[in-house]
Amino acid sequence: MNKIHRLIGVAFIAVSLFCAVLLSISLKNYVDVTEARSIIPGHIHVSEIRIPTIPDESHDVTVQVFYNITNPSKLTILITSIEYSFYMDNKSDPRTLDEKLEDSWVDMGQFTLPKERAYALRPGESITIPVNMTVDGDTVFISRLNNTRDGKYHPVLFTTVRYTYEHIEITEVVRRVPYLEGWTKGIDPYDS
């Protein structure tokens, strides 16, 4: 009987230690995920937009948007999706941006990858990810895109980024990351 009690006691201690280790790992992951969730959104930026000159609106045009993402967290993150709504401001329209946003919409650019093919960012790394958008020729959308003032385009973007973690099955969504710099300063056509 003493051997059975000892065996039960040892098994209880082993299970308790195993549970304590699992709890500490879970708590560490929870703290790391919470930290990443709060700091990653501030490290997602549009680094460049390439819009070519459009001499003929009957042809399709490809716009390239480059996102710079830095991972200051302690976990490896995997960028699985970037999706943006692209607007081109008409500076001759006196309405506010909010009032004319619907009339300024051009198209959406996006990519989606499965986790095993996603862009991996280790802690402290940065990456630039291109996301293309093709606007069909002979449409109202190509006319909206082909809108310059003083030779500059004035784009506005609102982006949604989805990412997950290397060893943790949680998908994070960062919504409405704005890009307004091009709207205020304007950008030159890429091929000029």
Side-chain angles (χ1 to χ4, degrees):
M1 193 74 158
N2 276 342
K3 289 183 180 182
I4 292 174
H5 284 120
R6 286 184 190 156
L7 185 62
I8 290 172
V10 169
F12 181 74
I13 290 171
V15 168
S16 297
L17 289 173
F18 180 71
C19 289
V21 168
L22 284 180
L23 180 62
S24 69
I25 290 170
S26 296
L27 286 174
K28 182 183 181 323
N29 285 342
Y30 175 77
V31 168
D32 290 344
V33 165
T34 301
E35 177 191 45
R37 184 179 293 145
S38 67
I39 60 177
I40 296 288
H43 292 83
I44 300 171
H45 305 284
V46 173
S47 59
E48 183 181 4
I49 299 177
R50 295 179 181 172
I51 308 169
T53 302
I54 305 170
D56 183 355
E57 291 186 3
S58 66
H59 294 97
D60 295 354
V61 172
T62 298
V63 174
Q64 295 178 299
V65 179
F66 294 86
Y67 287 88
N68 183 275
I69 302 174
T70 301
N71 179 10
S73 75
K74 297 174 186 168
L75 299 171
T76 297
I77 64 170
L78 306 169
I79 308 297
T80 57
S81 174
I82 297 178
E83 174 182 295
Y84 61 85
S85 289
F86 190 99
Y87 301 85
M88 185 64 74
D89 188 22
N90 179 354
K91 290 293 187 181
S92 63
D93 187 338
R95 295 179 294 168
T96 66
L97 181 61
D98 287 340
E99 293 172 330
K100 59 185 172 180
L101 208 53
E102 185 177 320
D103 297 330
S104 304
W105 187 77
V106 175
D107 207 341
M108 292 186 68
Q110 69 175 13
F111 79 85
T112 301
L113 297 171
K115 185 174 179 176
E116 56 275 3
R117 291 183 44 227
Y119 291 94
L121 275 89
R122 309 255 177 264
E125 288 183 347
S126 292
I127 190 171
T128 299
I129 302 172
V131 185
N132 293 344
M133 171 187 78
T134 299
V135 182
D136 294 333
D138 281 330
T139 63
V140 66
F141 305 110
I142 196 81
S143 296
R144 289 178 184 173
L145 180 65
N146 192 17
N147 191 334
T148 61
R149 182 173 195 175
D150 298 328
K152 292 182 180 281
Y153 292 111
H154 296 273
V156 175
L157 280 77
F158 294 103
T159 303
T160 299
V161 177
R162 288 177 177 80
Y163 65 93
T164 187
Y165 304 96
E166 187 173 37
H167 301 294
I168 302 170
E169 293 300 320
I170 298 174
T171 299
E172 305 286 1
V173 181
V174 181
R175 297 187 195 284
R176 285 191 64 86
V177 176
Y179 172 76
L180 299 172
E181 185 178 330
W183 174 65
T184 55
K185 296 180 181 177
I187 60 171
D188 292 315
Y190 177 65
D191 50 4
S192 64

